[in-house]
Amino acid sequence: MSFVEYGDTIKDGDTAIVFLGHESMFPVKVQHGTVTQTKYGVIRHSTDLIGKKYGSKVTCSKGGWVFILHPTPELWTMNLPHRTQILYSTDISIITMMLEVKPGSIVCESGTGSGSLSHALIRTVAPTGHLYTVEFHQQRAEKAREEFREHGVEHLVTVINQDVCKNGFGVSNIADAVFLDIPSPWEAIGHAKSALKAEGGRICSFSPCIEQVQRTCLAMEEYGFTEINTLEILLRVYNVRTISLQIPDLGKAAEDNSSAGFDSSNPSHQGSPCANLQQGTVQFKSGVPPREVVGHTGYLTFATKS
């Protein structure tokens, strides 16, 4: 199993996603002789998982069932153990596009955190690219190395445990893109410039506060970066619902026209919106925004090395 290569069957040692529903799923490490408890009963790894195909419908001990999914960066973002605040798919997608990351790219990242963006970058640069990710916290760096090894992507990533603001990324003049998610990104702009290739490399800084953005932009200008711009991505999901609206009173002429063109006794008209004319309402499918919208996560500041 690898996060960048699809495998048909579940093997001992794989990381799989147990899917109970769109709002309920979790990762599990497949191990011979191990069992996993769910609200639908027990899943026995030896008999229920190992050797089965990914995407299989597995029946639990209480008679309920779940799907076992192959892991992807998107599913991992939704289910990973949180060691820090993470980036979600909304921001990750624009970061990957605006940094112009592609297969074969060399990318530098700081900090690693919980590895949400790291997995997405690794899949994008595979099979010939590489990710250099710097994490200040030693235990988080060690945990990231362990996860990358378990997920079969250790050959595509190098985890460095050091302070990027003082010691940089450990590479020079090779990176196509640099990403910063640290409290004081302006202190690392000089090291980012050193890590980027001679010209044309892209940089992105993620900061929750506008004051951080201001200081970072000033540092980018000082080090000669161009095309500096800041974005904020807000996700707004619409729910499809059936709503009822009153039919407007358009006067007697409109009533005559509607009665002439509509026969309520005709079976073919039963169930149509016009069938509710007698009640004075008509039903429509409509996209309704939620009452509470997910708010601000952070500002994304992009620039190009001149």
Side-chain angles (χ1 to χ4, degrees):
M1 184 278 303
S2 171
F3 272 56
V4 297
E5 296 177 359
Y6 184 79
D8 287 332
T9 59
I10 305 170
K11 299 181 178 63
D12 189 14
D14 282 3
T15 298
I17 305 297
V18 180
F19 180 89
L20 291 81
H22 289 288
E23 303 298 327
S24 179
M25 62 185 90
F26 59 89
V28 62
K29 184 175 181 179
V30 180
Q31 292 179 311
H32 185 77
T34 303
V35 298
T36 297
Q37 293 283 351
T38 74
K39 64 181 180 180
Y40 300 127
V42 172
I43 301 174
R44 296 174 176 82
H45 294 200
S46 300
T47 57
D48 297 334
L49 298 184
I50 297 176
K52 299 290 182 63
K53 287 190 174 183
Y54 278 106
S56 296
K57 185 176 180 179
V58 173
T59 303
C60 305
S61 61
K62 293 182 181 179
W65 48 266
V66 298
F67 288 104
I68 308 300
L69 305 181
H70 193 285
T72 64
E74 291 81 7
L75 289 174
W76 186 245
T77 291
M78 297 170 63
N79 296 282
L80 58 78
H82 286 225
R83 299 184 287 273
T84 60
Q85 286 284 358
I86 69 169
L87 288 171
Y88 290 93
S89 298
T90 307
D91 288 318
I92 291 173
S93 60
I94 196 73
I95 290 169
T96 304
M97 184 189 75
M98 294 294 287
L99 286 182
E100 301 174 5
V101 181
K102 58 186 180 299
S105 294
I106 306 296
V107 182
C108 292
E109 174 198 27
S110 182
T112 311
S114 301
S116 175
L117 176 64
S118 304
H119 282 80
L121 290 174
I122 289 169
R123 185 195 42 195
T124 305
V125 304
T128 57
H130 202 83
L131 172 67
Y132 294 89
T133 181
V134 179
E135 174 57 53
F136 173 78
H137 194 276
Q138 182 178 357
Q139 290 179 329
R140 287 202 293 262
E142 292 174 353
K143 185 61 179 177
R145 287 193 191 98
E146 180 184 342
E147 284 182 350
F148 294 142
R149 184 169 56 254
E150 290 178 352
H151 297 166
V153 296
E154 71 275 10
H155 62 292
L156 295 169
V157 58
T158 299
V159 180
I160 304 169
N161 176 215
Q162 63 187 29
D163 185 351
V164 71
C165 296
K166 295 180 179 179
N167 306 114
F169 293 93
V171 296
S172 299
N173 302 318
I174 65 169
D176 298 288
V178 169
F179 176 79
L180 298 173
D181 183 5
I182 54 178
S184 53
W186 55 90
E187 296 180 1
I189 298 300
H191 295 296
K193 183 177 181 180
S194 299
L196 286 168
K197 60 187 180 181
E199 60 179 345
R202 294 279 286 167
I203 183 174
C204 174
S205 174
F206 177 90
S207 297
C209 302
I210 195 64
E211 293 81 5
Q212 293 170 301
V213 174
Q214 291 172 330
R215 294 190 65 176
T216 302
C217 289
L218 290 174
M220 288 178 174
E221 288 182 342
E222 180 183 346
Y223 281 96
F225 283 90
T226 60
E227 299 179 338
I228 302 172
N229 64 88
T230 299
L231 309 175
E232 181 184 22
I233 312 300
L234 298 178
L235 179 65
R236 190 177 188 186
V237 178
Y238 281 78
N239 298 319
V240 178
R241 297 178 183 174
T242 301
I243 62 173
S244 297
L245 298 177
Q246 287 187 338
I247 298 175
D249 184 3
L250 301 178
K252 187 174 186 304
E255 292 178 2
D256 294 342
N257 291 336
S258 63
S259 60
F262 176 76
D263 181 6
S264 60
S265 63
N266 188 338
S268 65
H269 292 161
Q270 298 298 322
S272 67
C274 297
N276 292 321
L277 286 174
Q278 297 296 330
Q279 288 76 34
T281 62
V282 64
Q283 291 185 332
F284 292 96
K285 292 290 185 181
S286 176
V288 181
R291 293 182 179 179
E292 295 183 2
V293 179
V294 177
H296 169 76
T297 56
Y299 301 102
L300 295 168
T301 300
F302 296 92
T304 303
K305 182 177 179 180
S306 177

